[in-house]
Amino acid sequence: MKANSRLIVVSNRAPSDGPPSGGLVVALQDCLKARGGLWVGTSGKFTDNPANRFTDVDGDGYQIKTFDLSPGEQQGYYLSYANGVLWPMCHRRADLIDITEGAYEAYIGVNRRLAKMLAQICTSHDQIWVHDYHFMPLASCLRAEGVTATLGYFHHIPFPTPQDLQALPQAEDFSGWLADFDLVGLQTEADVGTALELFRQQDRSEFLSNGNLLYRGREFMLRSFPIGIDTEGFQADACALDGRALANIPKDMRLIIGVDRLDYSKGLPNRLRAFGRYLSHRADDDARATFLQVAPPTREALQAYQDVRRECEHIAGTINGQHAELGWNPINYLHRAIPRTQLAALYRTAAVGMVTPFCDGMNLVAKEYVAAQDPDDPGVLILSRGAGAAEDLDAALIVNPYDISEMADAIAIALTMPLDERIARNAQLLRRVKDSDIQRWTTNFLTVLSQSKNQPLVPTPTFQARAATASVEE
Ligand code: ADQ
């Protein structure tokens, strides 16, 4: 890190009171505590005409600054554009994109408002690390404000293909949003390949001999940084409670577990169907297995999320109706979040972990399931090839999330896999999980960011022209 350089982390939500909600928050907090610094994000409060200044909140050894959104900004920036346009586009679901009037303007408006506030407090020595698709244009907005700090961006979700991007009305701006950062981090090598393909197709982009990209006069870096978990912390959590007692699972019952936000990208309906198919085809003397799906609600204001919830409830109800016996419901479907220690104990108890998204940036549940296993008697991970995690975790049973009978067969294979094969697969998976844990991810990203050199500090021309015409709510 440069002399006097301060780390500023930007994410949609600033960390709030109470225990951290996940490994990413823990890792960034650790990193800020160690280096000192600042975390900036929305407060979670909505106020009419929010002030264009930050509110200071006490952090544990670092600063937190929050800002409120107006109800209109929450609707336009967060729900309609970030989660109604960018999320489905990046998850190969252009059919779910809902382009609503004023959403893009609200999205750009929040990014510009944040850039103006950040411009007041940052110096050229600072490193600003921006997280995720809510703030893709933030570097362009900061450059337009004359900010000369080093800017890094990490894209937590899949990178869209050039075909996906055709569904975005602002497709022309997309490459410039990225190029205005100094470093763009993606989850996988496959994502980097997709991004390079996008730039290859652009006029005025050039691949430089130092490995960087030049786009419309700006040089920047594009690299993969596969995100991980706090492996040791998770291993310790997994031993703290008895998962079998927690879920009231009889000794002779096998547990299959799925844990996901209830998002259409996670492939829940097909996973439930695969379990139903497994039940229909299992031999009468096979040990019974219960499927526990933990699926907390998310973004329920959007129709696509209401639809997937209804679909899951219908499928789970039908399968239970067909296969339940006195004292045994094959599917136990929890529509809420549960504490991390309980989750870790349940992973450890489960003979099978099913992670079958259609499309996922990485998927931390896959890594958590591996870390939580007893190395002497581990369970089996069934993993979709659509998850970024499959790039590294190829010792899992890799499945096609669209092929229900293949997933049903994988359940049968997993439930009968010999102990020595389970041990060998888990040991290999655990090595990979440890190799890319969250502390290493943070350090790697920030090391490369420190090496990225500051480029000509003007925003890309396309963005300047468009931003000038967008009506901005300030
Ligand atoms: P998500 O889409 O949220 O993250 P994921 O990576 O699986 O997906 O992370 C979910 C986290 O929430 C996990 O730590 C999990 O334990 C926790 N969680 C899920 N359901 C829970 C429940 N019912 N109760 C308690 N905790 C629960 C986005 C991208 C991913 C990428 C991550 C990190 O979509 O692809 O891996 O960011 O970059």
Side-chain angles (χ1 to χ4, degrees):
M1 208 152 57
K2 294 165 194 146
N4 306 320
S5 167
R6 176 178 53 162
L7 175 62
I8 303 177
V9 169
V10 179
S11 65
N12 175 53
R13 282 298 299 276
S16 49
D17 290 343
S21 51
L24 174 65
V25 178
V26 173
L28 290 171
Q29 281 178 340
D30 286 351
C31 170
L32 283 168
K33 272 188 225 168
R35 296 165 188 246
L38 169 64
W39 194 320
V40 171
T42 63
S43 61
K45 291 189 219 129
F46 308 113
T47 42
D48 291 328
N49 304 314
N52 283 331
R53 62 185 144 70
F54 292 121
T55 302
D56 288 312
V57 179
D58 281 342
D60 182 10
Y62 61 96
Q63 288 179 290
I64 300 175
K65 287 184 186 290
T66 65
F67 63 103
D68 297 349
L69 296 176
S70 70
E73 286 176 332
Q74 166 71 359
Q75 179 63 44
Y77 143 82
Y78 179 76
L79 284 171
S80 298
Y81 198 81
N83 288 311
V85 176
L86 294 177
W87 177 275
M89 177 189 74
C90 289
H91 288 85
R92 322 268 185 270
R93 289 301 305 268
D95 58 310
L96 294 178
I97 289 179
D98 184 8
I99 297 168
T100 52
E101 208 181 325
Y104 171 68
E105 287 73 13
Y107 178 73
I108 287 292
V110 169
N111 274 272
R112 290 185 75 189
R113 189 155 79 79
L114 176 57
K116 281 182 197 299
M117 292 190 280
L118 280 169
Q120 303 292 316
I121 60 164
C122 71
T123 74
S124 60
H125 297 298
D126 291 336
Q127 291 182 323
I128 304 184
W129 187 4
V130 179
H131 288 266
D132 236 355
Y133 57 102
H134 313 89
F135 296 125
M136 294 194 79
L138 190 61
S140 304
C141 298
L142 286 164
R143 300 303 186 202
E145 293 296 324
V147 168
T148 57
T150 308
L151 304 181
Y153 171 72
F154 189 77
H155 192 69
H156 288 258
I157 63 176
F159 195 86
T161 64
Q163 290 75 16
D164 297 325
L165 264 170
Q166 286 175 9
L168 187 71
Q170 295 75 30
E172 227 183 295
D173 295 349
F174 191 86
S175 310
W177 291 345
L178 297 174
D180 281 323
F181 288 98
D182 296 296
L183 171 64
V184 171
L186 305 177
Q187 295 275 24
T188 63
E189 284 301 318
D191 282 324
V192 170
T194 308
L196 292 180
E197 182 54 33
L198 174 69
F199 281 96
R200 203 169 284 125
Q201 292 180 9
Q202 310 271 340
D203 291 342
R204 301 186 54 195
S205 73
E206 207 181 309
F207 291 74
L208 302 176
S209 56
N210 61 5
N212 293 351
L213 276 163
L214 189 67
Y215 178 69
R216 302 196 163 200
R218 270 199 52 86
E219 185 180 337
F220 71 106
M221 290 186 191
L222 191 66
R223 299 273 189 286
S224 80
F225 299 88
I227 197 168
I229 59 165
D230 169 17
T231 314
E232 282 178 17
F234 220 85
Q235 285 176 311
D237 280 349
C239 300
L241 294 173
D242 177 356
R244 200 165 273 280
L246 201 65
N248 207 11
I249 309 279
K251 275 209 161 42
D252 60 344
M253 177 78 70
R254 320 291 300 283
L255 181 68
I256 303 172
I257 193 166
V259 175
D260 318 71
R261 286 183 305 101
L262 187 39
D263 191 293
Y264 51 80
S265 65
K266 304 288 184 185
L268 264 66
N270 274 6
R271 188 184 311 163
L272 293 170
R273 287 187 186 103
F275 181 62
R277 191 178 167 95
Y278 159 77
L279 289 177
S280 301
H281 290 78
R282 84 191 169 104
D284 283 344
D285 54 355
D286 283 354
R288 286 186 307 186
T290 294
F291 186 96
L292 170 62
Q293 177 63 53
V294 190
T298 177
R299 304 171 196 164
E300 287 207 300
L302 296 173
Q303 184 65 44
Y305 289 81
Q306 297 166 20
D307 292 347
V308 73
R309 177 180 178 167
R310 249 195 309 276
E311 193 181 0
C312 287
E313 283 168 359
H314 175 72
I315 298 168
T318 306
I319 293 172
N320 275 341
Q322 276 172 356
H323 297 280
E325 295 169 9
L326 278 179
W328 176 52
N329 259 342
I331 298 180
N332 187 356
Y333 179 67
L334 293 190
H335 192 52
R336 62 181 163 80
I338 57 175
R340 188 174 119 120
T341 41
Q342 293 189 5
L343 201 59
L346 290 169
Y347 285 143
R348 192 175 176 92
T349 303
V352 182
M354 281 197 85
V355 178
T356 58
F358 293 128
C359 186
D360 215 333
M362 177 55 62
N363 195 296
L364 297 178
V365 171
K367 298 190 172 187
E368 291 168 356
Y369 178 77
V370 168
Q373 296 311 301
D374 173 356
D376 297 326
D377 184 16
V380 178
L381 175 64
I382 297 178
L383 179 60
S384 158
R385 62 166 76 134
E391 201 167 85
D392 268 349
L393 302 187
D394 53 358
L397 290 180
I398 302 292
V399 294
N400 173 355
Y402 298 95
D403 188 339
I404 289 160
S405 50
E406 186 195 37
M407 288 194 285
D409 291 347
I411 293 173
I413 293 168
L415 285 171
T416 53
M417 188 179 283
L419 178 64
D420 54 353
E421 184 178 348
R422 283 189 279 126
I423 289 176
R425 283 179 184 264
N426 184 255
Q428 195 176 329
L429 291 170
L430 187 60
R431 266 197 303 279
R432 295 284 173 86
V433 169
K434 282 183 172 168
D435 281 351
S436 64
D437 80 359
I438 191 77
Q439 285 79 13
R440 196 170 294 194
W441 176 78
T442 315
T443 308
N444 286 349
F445 188 94
L446 290 174
T447 304
V448 178
L449 185 62
S450 305
Q451 294 157 357
S452 69
K453 77 179 168 29
N454 278 321
Q455 300 304 318
L457 297 167
V458 286
T460 48
T462 328
F463 177 80
Q464 271 181 325
R466 283 186 173 250
T469 56
S471 78
V472 175
E473 197 176 326
E474 285 179 332

